[in-house]
Short mmCIF file of all heavy atoms in Angstrom, two decimals:
data_model
loop_
_atom_site.label_atom_id
_atom_site.label_comp_id
_atom_site.label_asym_id
_atom_site.label_seq_id
_atom_site.Cartn_x
_atom_site.Cartn_y
_atom_site.Cartn_z
N ARG N 144 137.32 87.16 83.69
CA ARG N 144 137.25 88.42 84.43
C ARG N 144 137.41 89.59 83.46
O ARG N 144 137.90 89.44 82.35
CB ARG N 144 138.35 88.46 85.50
CG ARG N 144 138.40 87.22 86.39
CD ARG N 144 137.12 86.97 87.16
NE ARG N 144 136.79 88.01 88.09
CZ ARG N 144 137.26 88.10 89.34
NH1 ARG N 144 138.07 87.17 89.81
NH2 ARG N 144 136.88 89.09 90.12
N THR N 145 137.00 90.75 83.93
CA THR N 145 136.98 91.94 83.07
C THR N 145 138.37 92.31 82.56
O THR N 145 139.39 92.00 83.20
CB THR N 145 136.38 93.14 83.83
OG1 THR N 145 136.34 94.26 82.93
CG2 THR N 145 137.23 93.51 85.04
N ARG N 146 138.42 92.99 81.44
CA ARG N 146 139.69 93.46 80.88
C ARG N 146 140.03 94.86 81.42
O ARG N 146 141.03 95.44 80.98
CB ARG N 146 139.63 93.52 79.35
CG ARG N 146 139.14 92.25 78.69
CD ARG N 146 139.88 91.01 79.06
NE ARG N 146 141.27 90.96 78.61
CZ ARG N 146 142.04 89.89 78.69
NH1 ARG N 146 141.56 88.77 79.23
NH2 ARG N 146 143.28 89.92 78.28
N CYS N 147 139.24 95.41 82.33
CA CYS N 147 139.52 96.75 82.90
C CYS N 147 140.98 96.81 83.35
O CYS N 147 141.43 95.98 84.13
CB CYS N 147 138.60 97.03 84.08
SG CYS N 147 139.07 98.53 84.99
N ARG N 148 141.70 97.78 82.83
CA ARG N 148 143.15 97.81 83.11
C ARG N 148 143.45 98.08 84.58
O ARG N 148 144.50 97.67 85.08
CB ARG N 148 143.82 98.86 82.22
CG ARG N 148 143.42 100.27 82.55
CD ARG N 148 144.60 101.20 82.32
NE ARG N 148 144.55 101.74 80.99
CZ ARG N 148 145.08 102.92 80.67
NH1 ARG N 148 145.69 103.63 81.58
NH2 ARG N 148 144.98 103.36 79.45
N TYR N 149 142.55 98.74 85.27
CA TYR N 149 142.78 99.01 86.70
C TYR N 149 142.57 97.75 87.54
O TYR N 149 143.27 97.50 88.50
CB TYR N 149 141.87 100.15 87.18
CG TYR N 149 142.06 101.40 86.37
CD1 TYR N 149 141.06 101.86 85.52
CD2 TYR N 149 143.26 102.12 86.42
CE1 TYR N 149 141.24 103.00 84.75
CE2 TYR N 149 143.44 103.26 85.65
CZ TYR N 149 142.43 103.69 84.82
OH TYR N 149 142.62 104.81 84.05
N PHE N 150 141.57 96.95 87.14
CA PHE N 150 141.36 95.67 87.81
C PHE N 150 142.59 94.79 87.67
O PHE N 150 143.00 94.09 88.59
CB PHE N 150 140.13 94.96 87.23
CG PHE N 150 139.97 93.54 87.69
CD1 PHE N 150 139.53 93.26 88.98
CD2 PHE N 150 140.27 92.48 86.84
CE1 PHE N 150 139.40 91.94 89.41
CE2 PHE N 150 140.14 91.16 87.26
CZ PHE N 150 139.70 90.90 88.56
N ARG N 151 143.19 94.83 86.48
CA ARG N 151 144.29 93.91 86.17
C ARG N 151 145.65 94.41 86.66
O ARG N 151 146.65 93.75 86.42
CB ARG N 151 144.33 93.66 84.66
CG ARG N 151 143.03 93.03 84.18
CD ARG N 151 143.00 92.88 82.68
NE ARG N 151 143.79 91.75 82.23
CZ ARG N 151 143.34 90.52 82.13
NH1 ARG N 151 142.10 90.23 82.43
NH2 ARG N 151 144.13 89.55 81.72
N ASP N 152 145.67 95.54 87.34
CA ASP N 152 146.94 96.11 87.79
C ASP N 152 146.90 96.39 89.29
O ASP N 152 146.39 97.42 89.73
CB ASP N 152 147.19 97.41 87.02
CG ASP N 152 148.50 98.07 87.43
OD1 ASP N 152 149.18 97.54 88.34
OD2 ASP N 152 148.83 99.12 86.85
N PRO N 153 147.42 95.47 90.10
CA PRO N 153 147.32 95.63 91.56
C PRO N 153 148.08 96.83 92.10
O PRO N 153 147.90 97.20 93.26
CB PRO N 153 147.95 94.33 92.11
CG PRO N 153 148.02 93.39 90.97
CD PRO N 153 148.08 94.21 89.73
N THR N 154 148.92 97.49 91.28
CA THR N 154 149.58 98.71 91.77
C THR N 154 148.60 99.87 91.81
O THR N 154 148.88 100.91 92.41
CB THR N 154 150.81 99.10 90.90
OG1 THR N 154 150.36 99.43 89.59
CG2 THR N 154 151.82 97.97 90.83
N VAL N 155 147.46 99.72 91.15
CA VAL N 155 146.39 100.72 91.26
C VAL N 155 145.56 100.35 92.49
O VAL N 155 145.01 99.25 92.57
CB VAL N 155 145.49 100.72 90.00
CG1 VAL N 155 144.32 101.67 90.17
CG2 VAL N 155 146.31 101.08 88.77
N ALA N 156 145.49 101.27 93.44
CA ALA N 156 144.82 100.92 94.70
C ALA N 156 143.31 100.85 94.54
O ALA N 156 142.65 99.98 95.11
CB ALA N 156 145.19 101.94 95.78
N ALA N 157 142.76 101.77 93.75
CA ALA N 157 141.30 101.89 93.69
C ALA N 157 140.69 100.92 92.70
O ALA N 157 140.71 101.15 91.49
CB ALA N 157 140.92 103.33 93.34
N CYS N 158 140.15 99.83 93.20
CA CYS N 158 139.35 98.91 92.36
C CYS N 158 138.42 98.14 93.28
O CYS N 158 138.85 97.23 94.00
CB CYS N 158 140.21 97.95 91.55
SG CYS N 158 139.18 96.76 90.65
N ASN N 159 137.14 98.50 93.22
CA ASN N 159 136.15 97.84 94.09
C ASN N 159 135.96 96.36 93.75
O ASN N 159 135.46 95.60 94.57
CB ASN N 159 134.81 98.55 93.96
CG ASN N 159 134.82 99.90 94.66
OD1 ASN N 159 135.43 100.05 95.72
ND2 ASN N 159 134.17 100.89 94.05
N LYS N 160 136.32 95.98 92.54
CA LYS N 160 136.16 94.59 92.14
C LYS N 160 137.25 93.72 92.79
O LYS N 160 137.02 92.59 93.16
CB LYS N 160 136.25 94.49 90.61
CG LYS N 160 135.45 93.35 90.01
CD LYS N 160 135.60 93.33 88.52
CE LYS N 160 134.34 93.62 87.74
NZ LYS N 160 133.13 92.98 88.22
N ARG N 161 138.45 94.30 92.90
CA ARG N 161 139.56 93.59 93.54
C ARG N 161 139.46 93.70 95.05
O ARG N 161 139.75 92.78 95.79
CB ARG N 161 140.89 94.20 93.08
CG ARG N 161 141.72 93.31 92.19
CD ARG N 161 143.13 93.86 92.01
NE ARG N 161 143.22 95.09 91.26
CZ ARG N 161 143.59 96.25 91.76
NH1 ARG N 161 143.91 96.38 93.03
NH2 ARG N 161 143.65 97.30 90.98
N ASP N 162 139.04 94.89 95.51
CA ASP N 162 139.13 95.21 96.92
C ASP N 162 137.94 96.10 97.27
O ASP N 162 137.99 97.31 97.06
CB ASP N 162 140.47 95.94 97.14
CG ASP N 162 140.78 96.16 98.59
OD1 ASP N 162 140.05 95.63 99.45
OD2 ASP N 162 141.75 96.90 98.86
N ARG N 163 136.88 95.47 97.75
CA ARG N 163 135.63 96.21 97.98
C ARG N 163 135.85 97.43 98.87
O ARG N 163 136.51 97.31 99.89
CB ARG N 163 134.59 95.28 98.61
CG ARG N 163 133.19 95.86 98.62
CD ARG N 163 132.24 95.05 99.46
NE ARG N 163 131.99 93.71 98.91
CZ ARG N 163 131.13 92.85 99.46
NH1 ARG N 163 130.44 93.17 100.53
NH2 ARG N 163 130.95 91.66 98.93
N GLY N 164 135.32 98.56 98.44
CA GLY N 164 135.43 99.78 99.24
C GLY N 164 136.63 100.63 98.89
O GLY N 164 136.81 101.73 99.43
N SER N 165 137.49 100.16 97.96
CA SER N 165 138.71 100.93 97.64
C SER N 165 138.48 102.02 96.60
O SER N 165 139.35 102.85 96.37
CB SER N 165 139.82 99.97 97.17
OG SER N 165 139.43 99.32 95.98
N GLY N 166 137.31 102.02 95.96
CA GLY N 166 137.03 103.03 94.95
C GLY N 166 137.11 102.46 93.54
O GLY N 166 137.40 101.28 93.35
N CYS N 167 136.82 103.32 92.54
CA CYS N 167 136.88 102.88 91.14
C CYS N 167 137.71 103.88 90.36
O CYS N 167 137.30 105.03 90.18
CB CYS N 167 135.49 102.77 90.54
SG CYS N 167 135.52 102.43 88.76
N ALA N 168 138.89 103.43 89.91
CA ALA N 168 139.80 104.33 89.19
C ALA N 168 139.28 104.66 87.80
O ALA N 168 139.66 105.66 87.19
CB ALA N 168 141.19 103.69 89.09
N ALA N 169 138.40 103.80 87.26
CA ALA N 169 137.96 103.98 85.87
C ALA N 169 136.95 105.12 85.72
O ALA N 169 136.91 105.79 84.68
CB ALA N 169 137.36 102.69 85.35
N VAL N 170 136.13 105.35 86.76
CA VAL N 170 135.06 106.34 86.63
C VAL N 170 135.62 107.70 86.21
O VAL N 170 135.09 108.37 85.33
CB VAL N 170 134.26 106.45 87.95
CG1 VAL N 170 133.32 107.64 87.91
CG2 VAL N 170 133.46 105.17 88.16
N HIS N 171 136.75 108.08 86.82
CA HIS N 171 137.37 109.35 86.43
C HIS N 171 138.68 109.15 85.66
O HIS N 171 139.39 110.08 85.37
CB HIS N 171 137.62 110.23 87.66
CG HIS N 171 136.35 110.62 88.35
ND1 HIS N 171 135.43 111.47 87.80
CD2 HIS N 171 135.81 110.20 89.52
CE1 HIS N 171 134.39 111.59 88.61
NE2 HIS N 171 134.60 110.81 89.67
#
Side-chain angles (χ1 to χ4, degrees):
Chain N
R144 310 300 297 274
T145 182
R146 309 306 293 189
C147 171
R148 67 146 93 152
Y149 303 111
F150 170 74
R151 300 175 77 88
D152 180 358
T154 65
V155 175
C158 175
N159 287 323
K160 210 180 246 317
R161 250 192 292 113
D162 188 8
R163 192 190 294 183
S165 62
C167 173
V170 170
H171 297 292

